Amino acid sequence: MAKIVLARIDDRLVHGQVMTQWLQYSGGNHIVIVDSDVAADSFNTNMMKMAVPRSVKLDVFTEDEAKEKISELPDSAKVIILAKRPQVFDKLAEDGLELGSVIVGGMGQNQERKKLYKNIAASDEEREAFRKIIDQGIDLKIQVVPSDKTISVETLL
């Protein structure tokens, strides 16, 4: 099975920080986006594939198929899993995917979200998903870029 080198919650999915910092920091060679809406949008999926270096493979899976598809990736895959919402990682863990840690990156404010830490915001539903992730023994921390110190989400809830 592939090795998961990074699991990250980020509204923007594939963007500059992921491509320039997290990719290099993690040593990843295969990005997996888990988002049912993006998976259903071939134009958006193709745009993201163009943003990824040619040496890095990119797949987009729905939330329902992600655990199985990730489990089928080759042993040589060093996987970065990206999702917009913590509920995705809660589901992946419940489905049996081993996630040692999950990093909260970009979660911007909106009408449903309240400030959690600096520029990170979460809705009540997302905070509950954070608790469920932590209860499953997964290390959940905030780290916007690799050079930032990590902040435990558990201490903020």
Side-chain angles (χ1 to χ4, degrees), residues 37-116:
D37 291 337
V38 175
D41 182 348
S42 60
F43 177 78
N44 200 359
T45 297
N46 287 331
M47 293 301 293
M48 288 190 195
K49 286 184 178 182
M50 286 191 265
V52 173
R54 290 183 185 192
S55 61
V56 176
K57 185 163 173 49
L58 182 129
D59 284 312
V60 181
F61 302 132
T62 67
E63 294 171 27
D64 290 332
E65 69 185 352
K67 193 274 182 184
E68 180 181 340
K69 295 286 192 179
I70 293 168
S71 297
E72 294 172 353
L73 295 176
D75 293 345
S76 60
K78 296 176 186 159
V79 179
I80 296 172
I81 302 174
L82 302 174
K84 294 179 183 179
R85 305 172 311 115
Q87 293 90 325
V88 171
F89 289 103
D90 176 41
K91 178 174 178 14
L92 288 173
E94 286 179 355
D95 288 348
L97 192 66
E98 290 190 34
L99 301 167
S101 67
V102 174
I103 294 176
V104 179
M107 290 181 67
Q109 287 193 320
N110 63 30
Q111 293 175 339
E112 296 159 5
R113 290 180 171 167
K114 297 177 283 192
K115 182 178 178 177
L116 178 68

